[in-house]
Amino acid sequence: MAVHLFDTEGPLAPLRDEIVARVTEVIGRGVFILGPEVDAFERELAEYLGVRHVVGVANGTDAITIALRALGVEPGDEVVVPSLTFYASVEAIVNAGARPIFCDVDPETHNVTPDTVKAALTPHTRAIVAVDLFGLPAPIPELRSLGVPILEDAAQAAGATLGDRRAGALGDAATFSFYPSKNLGCFGDGGAIATDDDGVADLARTLRFHGSRDKQTFEYVGYNSRLDEVQAAILRVLLRELDRWTAGRRAAASAYAAAGLGEYVTLPATVEGTEPAWHLYVVDHDDPDALSASLREQAIDSRSYYQVPVHRQPAMESFAVDTPPLPVTDAFAARNLALPMSPVLDEAQVHAVVAAIAAATA
């Protein structure tokens, strides 16, 4: 049985007619930039998250850059960030004019902790980027004790919760990517900034439109970074499905555990009071490359993530000169493997994956 790492077609199939109709409406209206669809999506996502403001932007990377500037990060400031993340989480800090300071992560959750962040703080620290890695919310309530503004990178965590709060509503601001493979993905690029802070939202809206509020006066050197009407119309349809899709992902994660996957690999950690969104289902194994090769022979997709952590990337060499050892980051980068995960991953597929891993590790 072939099992893909992502299944973006299955969840969308019953929605295609409605999506086509909504896109046709946008085309007929003839308004494509910052129109009624973006306005409505921003309101609907804000209501879903339980925050006062959502600002749609062109992609998740721009969302981080703009959000950092809206939080007051200026050239020369330092921003603490985990190295175990997608490159964009750090690239955006540099694009905001700041210096990334890399920190390690927890050995079980692989998210930052107050201790790992505290070890990287300096008098120049202006913000913390807390990544909700693989869909597990970072411990942001605990990070608040450090007294530094927190930007939650929730790109992988749409649909997750920590206590009674949704991912995206945990920090001083949060960012999302709507890249097509995300839990809430559009049909191209898109992103958003979420916040309860009126000032942060106002500055983010200004920065996304060339630093102008009225197209006549330009107060800042900003960006041309706007979520377009077509993508917003699509996202409005998909947002309604997000909780159902998240439930499907959680059911798949439970099925992996029930099928005995933990006998062969170390399962991803969960945290009491936290419900992950399972954007990726990433296990730990002594030889992930060999395991992946064996799965490939059985038509099962898998992939290791962040094998070269960001602090070891060539473009970050000048920023990582004084980075201390990050042993947990390096160890997990060498041992992780993502297995198939989607809202429609069924028990037959789960059992096929587990059987293939059992055979490969026998």
Side-chain angles (χ1 to χ4, degrees), residues 172-195:
D172 295 281
T175 59
F176 288 94
S177 166
F178 303 128
Y179 188 77
S181 64
K182 292 295 193 291
N183 292 29
L184 178 62
C186 58
F187 284 20
D189 274 319
I193 300 160
T195 184

Side-chain angles (χ1 to χ4, degrees), residues 15-346:
L15 304 172
R16 287 195 173 275
D17 288 346
E18 181 179 3
I19 289 170
V20 170
R22 295 298 303 278
V23 171
T24 301
E25 288 178 17
V26 173
I27 294 171
R29 188 182 299 125
V31 177
F32 300 107
I33 302 294
L34 296 184
E37 296 293 340
V38 171
D39 287 345
F41 174 68
E42 289 176 340
R43 290 195 304 271
E44 289 162 9
L45 182 57
E47 182 178 357
Y48 174 85
L49 296 174
V51 299
R52 288 170 53 82
H53 305 282
V54 164
V55 181
V57 295
N59 54 71
T61 310
D62 284 358
I64 299 172
T65 299
I66 292 171
L68 287 171
R69 287 187 60 185
L71 286 168
V73 171
E74 297 180 347
D77 288 339
E78 293 180 352
V79 177
V80 176
V81 63
S83 182
L84 190 68
T85 185
F86 181 56
Y87 181 74
S89 302
V90 184
E91 178 186 36
I93 295 170
V94 178
N95 287 340
R99 181 181 183 86
I101 304 297
F102 298 102
C103 72
D104 213 349
V105 293
D106 180 78
E108 293 186 0
T109 68
H110 305 110
N111 277 330
V112 299
T113 71
D115 287 340
T116 66
V117 171
K118 188 175 181 180
L121 294 179
T122 78
H124 303 290
T125 303
R126 186 64 183 87
I128 299 162
V129 173
V131 178
D132 298 331
L133 194 69
F134 305 142
L136 178 67
I140 292 174
E142 289 91 338
L143 293 175
R144 290 195 177 279
S145 66
L146 300 174
V148 179
I150 300 169
L151 177 60
E152 179 188 6
D153 180 349
Q156 300 182 359
T161 58
L162 193 165
D164 61 356
R165 300 285 285 173
R166 292 190 183 274
L170 302 174
D172 295 281
T175 59
F176 288 94
S177 166
F178 303 128
Y179 188 77
S181 64
K182 292 295 193 291
N183 292 29
L184 178 62
C186 58
F187 284 20
D189 274 319
I193 300 160
T195 184
D196 275 325
D197 189 305
D198 295 349
V200 169
D202 180 67
L203 183 50
R205 289 193 178 97
T206 303
L207 288 171
R208 76 174 173 183
F209 196 92
H210 302 286
S212 176
R213 290 180 171 85
D214 60 7
K215 303 183 185 181
Q216 301 294 326
T217 303
F218 297 87
E219 303 171 52
Y220 307 94
V221 177
Y223 307 87
N224 180 17
S225 183
R226 298 160 300 201
L227 181 66
D228 70 66
E229 285 286 285
V230 169
Q231 301 301 345
I234 294 168
L235 286 163
R236 292 184 68 197
V237 175
L238 304 188
L239 179 60
R240 300 198 314 258
E241 308 297 320
L242 180 56
D243 282 345
R244 183 171 64 83
W245 288 344
T246 303
R249 290 174 179 274
R250 290 172 181 157
S254 296
Y256 272 131
L261 180 60
E263 298 175 24
Y264 313 106
V265 296
T266 301
L267 302 184
T270 57
V271 178
E272 185 176 357
T274 301
E275 292 286 350
W278 299 119
H279 170 60
L280 295 169
Y281 193 81
V282 183
V283 300
D284 184 299
H285 186 262
D286 289 340
D287 194 346
D289 291 340
L291 179 55
S292 183
S294 179
L295 292 177
R296 192 179 310 115
E297 292 175 355
Q298 300 176 73
I300 293 173
D301 291 342
S302 60
R303 176 183 169 187
S304 294
Y305 276 77
Y306 317 139
Q307 289 178 298
V308 180
V310 183
H311 76 290
R312 298 191 182 280
Q313 295 290 345
M316 292 295 152
E317 183 176 356
S318 64
F319 298 106
V321 170
D322 298 322
T323 299
L326 305 178
V328 178
T329 293
D330 286 333
F332 190 65
R335 294 175 55 89
N336 79 83
L337 189 67
L339 302 179
M341 172 54 70
S342 82
V344 293
L345 190 73
D346 61 34

